[in-house]
Amino acid sequence: MENTSASTKFTGDGTVEQPAASGAPANPDASLKQRKLLTPAQETEVKELREISHQTRRVTVPGLEEILYEPIPVLDHGFVRVIDYMGDDAAIVQAARVSYGKGTKHLRGDTGLINYLLRHRHTTPFEMCEIKYHIKLPVFVARQWIRHRTANVNEYSARYSILDNEFYIPAPEHLAAQSAVNRQGRGETLEGAAAERVLELLKSDAAQSYAHYEEMLNERSDGTVLDEGRAGLARELARMNLSLNIYTQWYWKCDLHNLMHFLSLRADPHAQYEIRAYADAMLDTMRRWVPASYEAFENYVMTGVHLSGGGIEVVRRLLAGEAVTQEQSGLSKREWLELMATLGRTDQDGGP
Amino acid sequence: MENTSASTKFTGDGTVEQPAASGAPANPDASLKQRKLLTPAQETEVKELREISHQTRRVTVPGLEEILYEPIPVLDHGFVRVIDYMGDDAAIVQAARVSYGKGTKHLRGDTGLINYLLRHRHTTPFEMCEIKYHIKLPVFVARQWIRHRTANVNEYSARYSILDNEFYIPAPEHLAAQSAVNRQGRGETLEGAAAERVLELLKSDAAQSYAHYEEMLNERSDGTVLDEGRAGLARELARMNLSLNIYTQWYWKCDLHNLMHFLSLRADPHAQYEIRAYADAMLDTMRRWVPASYEAFENYVMTGVHLSGGGIEVVRRLLAGEAVTQEQSGLSKREWLELMATLGRTDQDGGP
Amino acid sequence: MENTSASTKFTGDGTVEQPAASGAPANPDASLKQRKLLTPAQETEVKELREISHQTRRVTVPGLEEILYEPIPVLDHGFVRVIDYMGDDAAIVQAARVSYGKGTKHLRGDTGLINYLLRHRHTTPFEMCEIKYHIKLPVFVARQWIRHRTANVNEYSARYSILDNEFYIPAPEHLAAQSAVNRQGRGETLEGAAAERVLELLKSDAAQSYAHYEEMLNERSDGTVLDEGRAGLARELARMNLSLNIYTQWYWKCDLHNLMHFLSLRADPHAQYEIRAYADAMLDTMRRWVPASYEAFENYVMTGVHLSGGGIEVVRRLLAGEAVTQEQSGLSKREWLELMATLGRTDQDGGP
Amino acid sequence: MENTSASTKFTGDGTVEQPAASGAPANPDASLKQRKLLTPAQETEVKELREISHQTRRVTVPGLEEILYEPIPVLDHGFVRVIDYMGDDAAIVQAARVSYGKGTKHLRGDTGLINYLLRHRHTTPFEMCEIKYHIKLPVFVARQWIRHRTANVNEYSARYSILDNEFYIPAPEHLAAQSAVNRQGRGETLEGAAAERVLELLKSDAAQSYAHYEEMLNERSDGTVLDEGRAGLARELARMNLSLNIYTQWYWKCDLHNLMHFLSLRADPHAQYEIRAYADAMLDTMRRWVPASYEAFENYVMTGVHLSGGGIEVVRRLLAGEAVTQEQSGLSKREWLELMATLGRTDQDGGP
């Protein structure tokens, strides 16, 4: 799983340092991130938050405290910031032991129990941990994200406020062509003049729609009035002229069970790259927060596979030394191909 | 409460007839609606659905069956269609009587019990009714709507499909200026050159962003390829160039309790006009579906008021003949003004 | 999967006929079910509901209409009744096609699409179908059931009403001993004197707690007052003397996605027998309602298996002809045994 | 609102001291609480948790830290313990300001904004705070409680473990008779022989059902086997013999918005006394945690009133000096009486 934030170094002043984009495309976003994520005023606010230290009786996770409030860069202007959290790996076990009651305390370590819980779909103990993020993201990503209903959300309101002039423009290496074989996927990357034309259109349309947004509002995002002699269109109306790649931001809070569900869908290779970039950054925060749960999640969910009744039957026959073809399998052609890929069989004929 | 669909006549062929916009602005949207809501193919599909008749043992509501599958026009290109429903007023009573058990059957009529349930916040029986809509709406309205999490949603995917070239352009009488006194409200309506300029910008930017969307896709929504010699950008990427007033559509399903919650917030005068237009159309479908619940909802929720502990204390003192001023009330100035408005007192000084 | 209601014949008068318990214990509950599920008054109510027939434009499922309102017997006094439903297999496809939009209509049949949706966890279209049950069940079963939160519930209230004198007493063949090896499972069945003693205790304690319940209430469930000269304890208090095997009832409504989630957990061999008996009866109603979804659900979920990343790696190595032992597998002993059982390998050493 | 825990003193060793029940029945539960809530082993665990102190960058609430992990006594054997929390009053404002964006920071203090948010039903910022409790409560209370679905729950499982021999026996002053006029309320308190008889029945039935529970299990809760020569009934079955006043326990986690919803229903005079006792204890924890929200909640929700459209119309007419009778009001007799009570009018004829 690629993780866009793995090598990010937090400098402590609200900016980030990343290795310069060397020849190798190891981190294709790197060149984009040599940038300020926050305004100086925002930097100061983050710094002040980070300098405060309280005493608490609550469970505390040093590895997550280390990055608390820091923006983790995602895409060209977005970020993920951990604002608060509740619980740790031990809190899962603590809650589960209420379920299990007397007698289980000495039998297993926390890790063993966490593995067991996840493998057997005992999901409620994972709901006893909670995390709160501040996220900056393009509107079309926010529209996918919000489909996850079991979370708490407060979004910056363009009904009351003026949005900033920040739009997502893909890095050239992410300008994927429409897949010819699969309606749902990306194909090759556009190159040369085709790529340049797309970037030009995205940039100029974003700039123009934003300029017209300000003209309709008769006001800039800094509060400057353009023409004192006339009224501006209501903010709740003017915003409709903005394009879906404009950045918005929200507070998003979720329990660990639902976070894992979100990540299992959005850090998946089938998810659109842009939301996956956020999910990857959040996977890293999860690893810092609840390392035992993270490892179990990687093993059982992220790298695990689900086989249908028909699929597992094919596996059993193959293991018994039988040659099985798609025709004999009872699987559809599509499911057969998916199964062979899962089993790592290049011959695709299921021969033993 | 204005109801944009009240005078709509369903012609049975998928179109609607509305009174021509006479001089009076009684129905300001009327001129916009002398239009086809559906393509001929869609009209045929709706017609075919409406011609089928099944036998069922389930409770059935003739008043809602009458408009089943018909598009109710909202805004310039949008609609609300009732696709299916479960239950009626009696089903609420039926479910509540499981709660109440033996002995209550003869005491009250359905209407009395429904009033009682709503007044005393016994909300679970209303969850036993369910309704499913097909809705076509601008994306910025969809973004407000989706915040209601207790509903089921299937949205048309611009990741897989190409959106149609339909954008919401407000009617001139809805081009409200930003309120000068209230960040959250609309002020006067823009007129003359200012209004014309706004409409011109909205129309030209929508047209241009859509043209560039097709150019990036290298394909039109009807499947025509623009230039056989080149690849198109992935649909999931190209869509980001579209503006927030483009129309999307979804299936949206909800129980009656949560529908009422949605309507109480979105058919409210504080809601943005554009989503209120949808809520008003849905209020009309609710009236057809569960008339007793609708009446109770109108009385207790839509026209009801909530007074704080401090507010009801002021009312008691006023009723006791005491003169009360804001200073003596313990209320903030803002809450005082809201209370006086609620009580219909023009003097605003609370004198008896 | 055993299905306790598969061979039930509905006689149409509110009672059921089942094959007499012949020598073979094929249907161990059968002898218990040669009984009246409903009082004569209730029978009349059901009959009247079943005799009504309405015209509707809604999608209708004859196979489910056939059993609408009929009680399906479960355990010794419980039942499952389908009260209403919304949608069918085609309604899932209809909703999904809003998601897929233009162009997919001709590519796949409904069944193919439903299989695809379920296999790829596109769950929202299944939420577009809804079903409503009336269920009579012991309180300890209700306490497990209610943990499923994404459903609507109206329970008969013992705060307002007097519960009937009906307690669940297990059939002798379900009097399982505590498993010695597995805290979570049942062991052998108790027999002889041990079984008799348990049944005697359950019956006499239920009878006594109910008698004392009536004494404290100073009232019977039919409204008869025991002693006109004294007041009875409040119902909301007296109920606390009843034991957890008393029957309660509720209306329970759920969408198809969440119904399948419920069934996947509660029709599972790890679920307690008593709730599984309900899940089995509901599986049968699901098969009548949405047969294509039922078949996909059987294949992908009920008979499907989930393998961890470590588990699928072992499968790949075995298929490549490698001998793998638990020690080499990286799996815990427990997970290894579970995997070998899944793969149907009796040797349990993973030899090729 | 009575608050059973207001005068409780935490001694720091897991026990509580409360003023001895003096003559006045000011705190009728006091005599019951001169007791150990925890076993010595549990006391040690709590003490150890309380002695740990961590550094954290998270927002911290000293007033809540003070009682963290301490059991607050409720009823005769129950308690409420705060285990963890996330956020404070300022965190609500922080989240809301993402919604409001630029420019609102200097306009209002936190308290003013919190009042405004609550008054105008902007509930999402309150969802940004979270609290986790460990609660010990009778099963019949747990059954009411669990109806609140928007919470996370881990209950002690009687499927796997043996429940302790603790049953709720009401204090004599809470032995209410069934109300003669209101099916939903309690009437006078039972006294003398009637009360004694009820207490005797509750105690003896609880003792007997528990003794038989152990006999069926062939095991005590401390793990002692009764008769080595025979097998015990499965735990998941034996529990069905226990009565509804046995104590269970769970971890329960909830956001502040949903906590307030729970409290508004369960700290209400219409709620059953036993669950209200828990709600009252939790109100006290809320006051410590988020004092500004607590005050707004008291004013707008707990002491606020909702008037129907018909009701507020009556108020307006009365304030205008009009004499209004029930007949002229358009209200039902029942709603009229409720309104007059709300307005504090003893004459009940609405005269001005």
Side-chain angles (χ1 to χ4, degrees):
Chain A
M1 180 121 330
E2 75 185 298
N3 190 311
T4 56
S5 65
S7 56
T8 304
K9 266 181 60 189
F10 295 100
T11 60
D13 65 346
T15 64
V16 291
E17 272 177 30
Q18 287 184 319
S22 57
N27 186 340
D29 287 337
S31 61
L32 291 166
K33 284 177 190 158
Q34 210 70 312
R35 59 179 167 88
K36 287 281 183 184
L37 280 167
L38 305 177
T39 66
Q42 289 164 344
E43 270 180 33
T44 303
E45 288 182 280
V46 168
K47 204 172 197 170
E48 284 170 5
L49 277 175
R50 285 178 57 80
E51 279 166 3
I52 298 170
S53 180
H54 299 287
Q55 294 289 324
T56 186
R57 282 170 164 150
R58 291 172 293 171
V59 295
T60 303
V61 182
L64 197 56
E65 293 274 341
E66 197 186 317
I67 62 162
L68 213 67
Y69 305 125
E70 281 282 9
I72 302 168
V74 185
L75 303 182
D76 54 351
H77 298 288
F79 60 71
V80 166
R81 295 170 64 211
V82 179
I83 298 299
D84 208 341
Y85 65 94
M86 173 191 282
D88 61 1
D89 278 323
I92 298 161
V93 175
Q94 177 193 45
R97 278 180 176 155
V98 173
S99 295
Y100 276 52
K102 283 192 185 73
T104 64
K105 288 189 185 172
H106 324 294
L107 297 183
R108 293 185 198 92
D110 290 1
T111 302
L113 182 54
I114 284 171
N115 281 334
Y116 176 84
L117 293 170
L118 206 64
R119 202 162 75 241
H120 289 271
R121 295 198 291 168
H122 293 303
T123 56
T124 54
F126 296 97
E127 296 178 23
M128 288 291 154
C129 294
E130 190 91 12
I131 193 162
K132 180 161 58 178
Y133 293 102
H134 178 196
I135 292 157
K136 188 170 167 189
L137 71 177
V139 166
F140 73 94
V141 174
R143 297 235 302 138
Q144 295 185 319
W145 195 308
I146 200 75
R147 301 297 300 275
H148 298 265
R149 288 160 291 186
T150 321
N152 310 115
V153 189
N154 271 281
E155 186 173 356
Y156 189 88
S157 172
R159 201 182 165 197
Y160 306 127
S161 305
I162 301 178
L163 291 177
D164 286 328
N165 186 3
E166 291 181 311
F167 293 81
Y168 169 61
I169 306 295
E173 61 271 25
H174 294 131
L175 280 184
Q178 178 66 25
S179 164
V181 294
N182 182 351
R183 184 184 303 277
Q184 313 157 55
R186 296 186 178 189
E188 299 295 302
T189 302
L190 294 187
E191 297 192 341
E196 270 172 44
R197 176 65 179 154
V198 164
L199 291 176
E200 182 189 305
L201 289 175
L202 288 173
K203 285 175 191 169
S204 62
D205 280 2
Q208 177 177 311
S209 74
Y210 194 83
H212 289 162
Y213 171 62
E214 287 187 324
E215 181 180 343
M216 288 190 279
L217 289 172
N218 192 31
E219 190 179 355
R220 294 204 185 81
S221 67
D222 63 6
T224 324
V225 173
L226 301 187
D227 174 354
E228 294 286 353
R230 65 178 177 90
L233 186 66
R235 290 168 183 183
E236 66 182 28
L237 287 172
R239 62 170 160 174
M240 80 173 76
N241 199 57
L242 297 166
S243 50
L244 286 158
N245 53 343
I246 196 165
Y247 273 90
T248 184
Q249 45 186 300
W250 60 32
Y251 273 63
W252 191 80
K253 177 172 148 285
C254 190
D255 66 59
L256 177 56
H257 165 58
N258 282 290
L259 178 69
M260 289 191 291
H261 185 66
F262 174 85
L263 294 175
S264 77
L265 291 169
R266 301 305 185 178
D268 185 271
H270 293 94
Q272 182 165 350
Y273 164 75
E274 281 76 18
I275 199 167
R276 215 167 66 227
Y278 287 88
D280 286 344
M282 292 159 81
L283 271 177
D284 188 49
T285 64
M286 181 187 162
R287 188 178 50 72
R288 285 174 172 271
W289 177 29
V290 281
S293 299
Y294 178 83
E295 206 168 313
F297 176 65
E298 273 290 311
N299 184 28
Y300 294 114
V301 181
M302 295 305 291
T303 62
V305 299
H306 190 83
L307 301 181
S308 70
I312 189 66
E313 190 51 37
V314 169
V315 171
R316 288 185 194 120
R317 289 164 67 188
L318 290 174
L319 285 173
E322 191 178 336
V324 187
T325 65
Q326 185 243 315
E327 290 69 27
Q328 301 162 336
S329 71
L331 305 185
S332 71
K333 177 134 203 200
R334 184 163 191 168
E335 200 192 346
W336 174 263
L337 292 175
E338 289 173 8
L339 178 64
M340 289 304 111
T342 296
L343 299 177
R345 293 180 83 81
T346 48
D347 54 352
Q348 301 208 345
D349 65 7
Chain B
M1 180 120 330
E2 74 184 302
N3 191 311
T4 57
S5 65
S7 56
T8 304
K9 268 180 60 190
F10 295 100
T11 60
D13 66 347
T15 64
V16 291
E17 272 178 29
Q18 286 184 317
S22 55
N27 187 341
D29 288 338
S31 61
L32 292 165
K33 285 175 190 157
Q34 210 70 311
R35 59 181 167 86
K36 287 282 183 185
L37 282 166
L38 306 176
T39 66
Q42 290 164 343
E43 269 179 33
T44 303
E45 288 183 279
V46 168
K47 204 172 197 169
E48 284 171 4
L49 277 175
R50 285 178 57 79
E51 277 165 5
I52 297 169
S53 181
H54 300 287
Q55 293 290 323
T56 186
R57 282 169 164 151
R58 291 172 293 170
V59 295
T60 303
V61 182
L64 196 57
E65 293 273 343
E66 197 184 319
I67 62 162
L68 213 65
Y69 304 123
E70 280 283 9
I72 302 168
V74 185
L75 302 182
D76 55 351
H77 297 289
F79 59 70
V80 166
R81 295 171 63 212
V82 179
I83 297 299
D84 208 340
Y85 66 94
M86 173 191 282
D88 61 0
D89 278 324
I92 299 162
V93 175
Q94 178 194 42
R97 277 181 178 155
V98 174
S99 295
Y100 275 52
K102 282 193 185 71
T104 64
K105 288 191 187 171
H106 325 293
L107 297 183
R108 297 184 196 93
D110 289 2
T111 302
L113 182 53
I114 284 171
N115 280 334
Y116 176 85
L117 292 170
L118 207 63
R119 202 161 75 241
H120 290 271
R121 296 197 291 166
H122 293 303
T123 55
T124 52
F126 296 97
E127 296 178 22
M128 288 291 154
C129 293
E130 190 93 8
I131 193 162
K132 180 160 60 176
Y133 294 102
H134 178 196
I135 292 158
K136 188 171 167 190
L137 72 176
V139 166
F140 72 94
V141 173
R143 296 236 302 139
Q144 295 186 318
W145 194 310
I146 201 75
R147 302 296 300 275
H148 297 264
R149 289 160 291 186
T150 323
N152 312 113
V153 188
N154 270 282
E155 186 172 355
Y156 190 88
S157 172
R159 202 182 165 197
Y160 306 127
S161 305
I162 301 178
L163 291 178
D164 286 327
N165 186 3
E166 290 181 311
F167 293 81
Y168 168 61
I169 305 295
E173 61 272 24
H174 292 131
L175 279 184
Q178 177 67 23
S179 166
V181 294
N182 182 351
R183 184 182 304 276
Q184 312 157 54
R186 295 187 178 190
E188 300 296 302
T189 302
L190 294 187
E191 296 193 341
E196 271 172 43
R197 176 64 179 155
V198 163
L199 292 175
E200 181 189 306
L201 290 175
L202 289 173
K203 285 175 191 169
S204 63
D205 280 2
Q208 178 178 310
S209 74
Y210 194 83
H212 290 161
Y213 171 63
E214 288 186 325
E215 180 180 344
M216 289 190 278
L217 289 171
N218 193 29
E219 189 179 357
R220 294 206 185 80
S221 66
D222 63 4
T224 324
V225 173
L226 300 187
D227 175 353
E228 294 287 354
R230 64 178 178 91
L233 186 66
R235 289 170 185 183
E236 66 181 27
L237 286 172
R239 60 169 161 175
M240 79 173 75
N241 200 57
L242 297 166
S243 50
L244 286 158
N245 54 342
I246 196 165
Y247 274 90
T248 183
Q249 46 186 300
W250 60 32
Y251 274 64
W252 191 80
K253 176 170 148 289
C254 189
D255 67 59
L256 177 55
H257 165 58
N258 282 290
L259 178 68
M260 290 191 290
H261 186 66
F262 174 85
L263 294 176
S264 77
L265 291 170
R266 300 307 185 178
D268 185 273
H270 292 93
Q272 181 164 352
Y273 164 75
E274 280 75 18
I275 198 167
R276 215 168 64 228
Y278 286 88
D280 286 343
M282 291 159 81
L283 270 178
D284 189 48
T285 63
M286 180 188 163
R287 189 179 50 73
R288 285 174 172 272
W289 178 28
V290 281
S293 299
Y294 177 83
E295 207 169 312
F297 176 65
E298 273 290 310
N299 185 27
Y300 294 113
V301 180
M302 295 306 291
T303 63
V305 298
H306 191 82
L307 301 181
S308 70
I312 188 67
E313 189 52 37
V314 168
V315 170
R316 288 185 194 120
R317 288 164 69 187
L318 290 174
L319 285 174
E322 193 179 336
V324 186
T325 65
Q326 185 243 315
E327 289 71 25
Q328 299 162 337
S329 70
L331 304 185
S332 72
K333 178 134 203 203
R334 183 162 192 168
E335 200 192 345
W336 174 263
L337 291 175
E338 289 174 8
L339 178 63
M340 290 304 111
T342 296
L343 299 177
R345 295 179 82 82
T346 48
D347 53 354
Q348 301 208 342
D349 64 9
Chain C
M1 180 122 326
E2 74 185 302
N3 190 311
T4 58
S5 65
S7 57
T8 304
K9 266 181 59 191
F10 295 100
T11 60
D13 66 346
T15 64
V16 291
E17 272 178 30
Q18 288 184 317
S22 57
N27 186 341
D29 287 336
S31 61
L32 291 166
K33 285 178 191 156
Q34 211 69 310
R35 58 180 166 87
K36 287 280 185 186
L37 280 167
L38 305 177
T39 66
Q42 289 164 344
E43 268 180 33
T44 303
E45 288 183 278
V46 168
K47 204 173 197 168
E48 284 171 3
L49 277 176
R50 285 178 57 80
E51 278 165 4
I52 296 170
S53 181
H54 300 287
Q55 293 289 324
T56 186
R57 284 172 163 147
R58 291 173 292 169
V59 295
T60 303
V61 182
L64 196 57
E65 293 274 341
E66 198 186 318
I67 63 163
L68 213 66
Y69 305 123
E70 281 283 9
I72 302 168
V74 185
L75 304 181
D76 55 351
H77 298 289
F79 60 71
V80 166
R81 296 170 63 212
V82 179
I83 298 299
D84 208 341
Y85 66 93
M86 174 191 283
D88 61 0
D89 278 324
I92 298 161
V93 175
Q94 177 194 44
R97 279 181 176 153
V98 173
S99 293
Y100 277 50
K102 284 194 185 71
T104 65
K105 288 188 185 172
H106 325 292
L107 297 183
R108 297 183 195 93
D110 288 3
T111 301
L113 182 54
I114 284 171
N115 281 334
Y116 176 85
L117 293 170
L118 206 64
R119 201 161 77 241
H120 289 272
R121 297 198 291 168
H122 293 303
T123 57
T124 53
F126 296 97
E127 296 179 23
M128 288 291 154
C129 293
E130 190 91 11
I131 193 162
K132 180 161 59 177
Y133 293 102
H134 178 196
I135 292 157
K136 189 171 167 189
L137 71 178
V139 166
F140 73 94
V141 174
R143 297 236 301 138
Q144 295 185 318
W145 195 308
I146 200 74
R147 301 297 300 276
H148 297 265
R149 289 161 291 187
T150 321
N152 311 113
V153 189
N154 270 281
E155 186 173 356
Y156 189 88
S157 172
R159 201 181 166 197
Y160 306 127
S161 304
I162 301 178
L163 291 177
D164 287 328
N165 187 2
E166 290 181 311
F167 293 82
Y168 168 62
I169 306 295
E173 62 271 24
H174 293 131
L175 280 183
Q178 178 67 24
S179 166
V181 294
N182 182 349
R183 183 183 303 277
Q184 313 156 55
R186 296 186 178 190
E188 299 297 299
T189 301
L190 294 186
E191 295 193 342
E196 272 172 43
R197 176 64 179 155
V198 163
L199 291 175
E200 182 189 304
L201 290 175
L202 289 173
K203 283 176 192 167
S204 63
D205 280 1
Q208 178 177 309
S209 73
Y210 194 84
H212 289 162
Y213 170 64
E214 287 186 325
E215 182 180 341
M216 289 191 277
L217 289 172
N218 192 31
E219 189 178 356
R220 292 204 187 81
S221 68
D222 64 4
T224 324
V225 173
L226 300 187
D227 175 352
E228 294 285 355
R230 64 177 177 91
L233 185 66
R235 291 170 182 181
E236 66 181 29
L237 286 172
R239 61 169 160 173
M240 79 173 77
N241 200 58
L242 297 166
S243 50
L244 286 157
N245 55 343
I246 195 165
Y247 274 89
T248 184
Q249 45 186 299
W250 60 32
Y251 274 63
W252 190 80
K253 176 172 149 287
C254 191
D255 66 61
L256 177 55
H257 165 59
N258 283 290
L259 178 68
M260 289 191 290
H261 185 66
F262 174 85
L263 295 174
S264 76
L265 291 170
R266 300 306 184 178
D268 185 272
H270 293 94
Q272 183 164 351
Y273 163 75
E274 281 75 18
I275 198 167
R276 216 168 63 228
Y278 287 88
D280 285 344
M282 291 158 82
L283 270 178
D284 189 47
T285 63
M286 181 187 162
R287 190 179 48 74
R288 285 174 172 272
W289 178 28
V290 280
S293 299
Y294 177 83
E295 206 168 312
F297 176 66
E298 273 290 311
N299 185 28
Y300 294 113
V301 180
M302 296 306 291
T303 63
V305 300
H306 190 83
L307 302 181
S308 69
I312 188 68
E313 190 51 37
V314 168
V315 171
R316 288 186 194 119
R317 288 164 68 187
L318 290 173
L319 285 175
E322 193 179 336
V324 186
T325 66
Q326 185 243 315
E327 289 70 25
Q328 300 161 336
S329 72
L331 303 185
S332 71
K333 177 133 203 204
R334 183 163 192 167
E335 201 192 345
W336 173 264
L337 291 175
E338 288 174 9
L339 178 64
M340 289 304 111
T342 296
L343 299 178
R345 294 179 83 82
T346 50
D347 52 354
Q348 301 207 343
D349 64 8
Chain D
M1 182 123 325
E2 76 184 299
N3 190 310
T4 58
S5 65
S7 57
T8 304
K9 267 180 60 190
F10 295 101
T11 61
D13 67 346
T15 65
V16 291
E17 271 178 31
Q18 286 184 319
S22 57
N27 187 340
D29 286 337
S31 61
L32 291 166
K33 286 178 189 156
Q34 210 70 312
R35 57 177 168 89
K36 288 280 184 186
L37 280 168
L38 305 176
T39 66
Q42 289 163 345
E43 268 180 35
T44 304
E45 287 183 280
V46 168
K47 205 173 197 169
E48 285 171 3
L49 277 175
R50 284 179 58 78
E51 278 165 2
I52 297 170
S53 181
H54 299 286
Q55 293 290 324
T56 186
R57 282 171 164 149
R58 290 172 294 169
V59 295
T60 303
V61 182
L64 197 57
E65 293 274 341
E66 199 186 319
I67 63 164
L68 212 67
Y69 304 124
E70 281 283 10
I72 301 168
V74 185
L75 303 182
D76 55 351
H77 298 288
F79 60 70
V80 166
R81 294 170 66 213
V82 179
I83 297 300
D84 208 340
Y85 65 94
M86 174 191 281
D88 60 1
D89 278 324
I92 299 161
V93 174
Q94 179 193 41
R97 278 181 177 155
V98 173
S99 294
Y100 277 51
K102 283 194 186 72
T104 64
K105 289 189 185 170
H106 324 293
L107 297 183
R108 297 183 195 92
D110 289 4
T111 302
L113 182 55
I114 284 171
N115 281 333
Y116 176 84
L117 293 169
L118 206 63
R119 202 161 75 241
H120 289 272
R121 297 198 289 168
H122 293 304
T123 57
T124 52
F126 295 97
E127 296 178 22
M128 288 291 153
C129 294
E130 190 92 10
I131 193 162
K132 179 160 59 178
Y133 294 103
H134 178 197
I135 292 158
K136 188 170 167 189
L137 72 177
V139 165
F140 72 95
V141 174
R143 296 236 302 137
Q144 295 185 319
W145 195 309
I146 200 74
R147 302 296 301 275
H148 298 265
R149 290 160 290 186
T150 322
N152 311 114
V153 189
N154 270 281
E155 186 172 355
Y156 190 88
S157 172
R159 200 180 166 199
Y160 306 126
S161 305
I162 301 179
L163 290 178
D164 287 327
N165 186 3
E166 290 181 311
F167 293 80
Y168 168 61
I169 305 296
E173 62 271 24
H174 293 131
L175 279 183
Q178 177 67 25
S179 166
V181 294
N182 182 351
R183 181 183 304 275
Q184 311 157 58
R186 295 186 177 188
E188 299 296 301
T189 302
L190 293 187
E191 295 192 342
E196 272 173 42
R197 175 65 177 152
V198 163
L199 291 175
E200 182 190 305
L201 290 175
L202 288 174
K203 285 174 191 168
S204 63
D205 280 2
Q208 177 177 309
S209 73
Y210 194 85
H212 290 162
Y213 170 64
E214 287 186 325
E215 182 181 342
M216 289 190 278
L217 290 172
N218 192 32
E219 189 178 357
R220 294 205 186 81
S221 67
D222 63 5
T224 324
V225 173
L226 301 187
D227 175 354
E228 293 287 354
R230 65 175 177 91
L233 185 66
R235 291 169 183 182
E236 66 181 30
L237 287 172
R239 61 170 160 173
M240 80 174 75
N241 200 56
L242 297 166
S243 50
L244 286 158
N245 54 343
I246 195 165
Y247 275 90
T248 184
Q249 46 186 299
W250 60 33
Y251 273 64
W252 190 80
K253 176 170 148 289
C254 189
D255 66 60
L256 177 55
H257 165 59
N258 282 290
L259 178 69
M260 290 191 290
H261 186 67
F262 174 84
L263 294 175
S264 77
L265 292 169
R266 300 307 184 178
D268 185 272
H270 293 94
Q272 182 165 349
Y273 164 76
E274 280 75 18
I275 197 167
R276 216 169 61 228
Y278 287 87
D280 286 344
M282 291 158 81
L283 270 178
D284 189 48
T285 62
M286 181 188 161
R287 189 178 50 72
R288 285 174 172 273
W289 177 29
V290 280
S293 300
Y294 177 83
E295 206 169 311
F297 177 64
E298 272 291 310
N299 184 29
Y300 294 113
V301 180
M302 295 306 291
T303 63
V305 299
H306 191 83
L307 301 180
S308 70
I312 188 67
E313 190 51 37
V314 169
V315 171
R316 287 185 195 121
R317 288 165 67 187
L318 290 173
L319 284 175
E322 195 179 333
V324 186
T325 65
Q326 186 244 314
E327 289 70 25
Q328 300 161 336
S329 71
L331 304 184
S332 72
K333 178 134 202 201
R334 183 163 192 167
E335 200 194 345
W336 174 263
L337 291 175
E338 289 173 10
L339 178 62
M340 289 303 111
T342 296
L343 299 178
R345 295 179 82 83
T346 49
D347 53 353
Q348 300 208 345
D349 63 9

